[in-house]
Amino acid sequence: MKNNIGIWIDTHQAVVINLSNGDQAVKKIESHIDTKVRTPGESKKYGRFGGQYMTYEKNSENKKMEQTKQFLKILSNEIENCDAVVLFGPSIMKTIFEKEIKNDLNLIGKLVGVFDADSMTENQISAWVKDFYKK
């Protein structure tokens, strides 16, 4: 009774393919990471708080990091009960998630590979995961 998972991941979404006992389940998870946001009042290069200056750039970077952490936490919960997981996709998000998995002692032994892949349709993603686990 193997429970293998393949995750195609980029900055906007992750497609989780769960192969269990010959059955296939597909789940799309949106990241909700704001990549290009214009904050109202962002015309100045700094905001003044007492004697300190804080850039809007730093605020948006902190917001993006927090949104990324939330996205990866959701994905970590998805792979908690699997036997093996493979990551693939076009962006650097797969590498960030790989580091997150390697830092979690419960998940480190489940990662079987990280691969580069182009943008794919849902059917192509499913076929890629099936081919990977046939090997």
Side-chain angles (χ1 to χ4, degrees):
M1 183 160 33
K2 285 275 192 178
N3 185 12
N4 297 327
I5 291 180
I7 299 177
W8 181 92
I9 185 171
D10 73 355
T11 310
H12 302 291
Q13 71 175 353
V15 179
V16 180
I17 307 292
N18 190 343
L19 300 176
S20 178
N21 298 330
D23 294 335
Q24 173 184 325
V26 178
K27 185 175 186 180
K28 286 187 180 182
I29 300 172
E30 295 293 324
S31 69
H32 303 291
I33 297 173
D34 298 328
T35 54
K36 295 180 182 177
V37 178
R38 167 100 164 84
T39 307
E42 195 177 343
S43 60
K44 288 193 216 174
K45 295 289 183 192
Y46 58 88
R48 186 173 172 110
F49 301 101
Q52 297 178 336
Y53 291 96
M54 181 125 178
T55 62
Y56 290 112
E57 191 175 287
K58 187 72 172 170
N59 285 344
S60 63
E61 187 64 31
N62 288 340
K63 184 178 178 182
K64 185 178 175 182
M65 279 184 8
E66 194 60 38
Q67 290 169 339
T68 302
K69 283 182 188 178
Q70 291 297 320
F71 178 52
L72 297 180
K73 186 176 180 181
I74 292 169
L75 289 176
S76 294
N77 290 339
E78 286 291 321
I79 64 172
E80 231 170 37
N81 299 321
C82 74
D83 296 320
V85 64
V86 62
L87 303 175
F88 59 107
S91 72
I92 195 162
M93 190 62 71
K94 66 184 172 297
T95 310
I96 296 170
F97 189 40
E98 176 187 14
K99 288 178 186 174
E100 192 76 22
I101 290 173
K102 287 183 177 179
N103 289 332
D104 190 339
L105 294 176
N106 296 330
L107 302 177
I108 194 168
K110 298 178 180 185
L111 185 64
V112 293
V114 179
F115 301 96
D116 289 329
D118 290 332
S119 295
M120 298 178 167
T121 65
E122 193 174 299
N123 290 336
Q124 290 172 327
I125 294 169
S126 297
W128 193 96
V129 173
K130 285 178 186 176
D131 289 343
F132 179 80
Y133 284 115
K134 280 182 183 177
K135 295 178 186 176

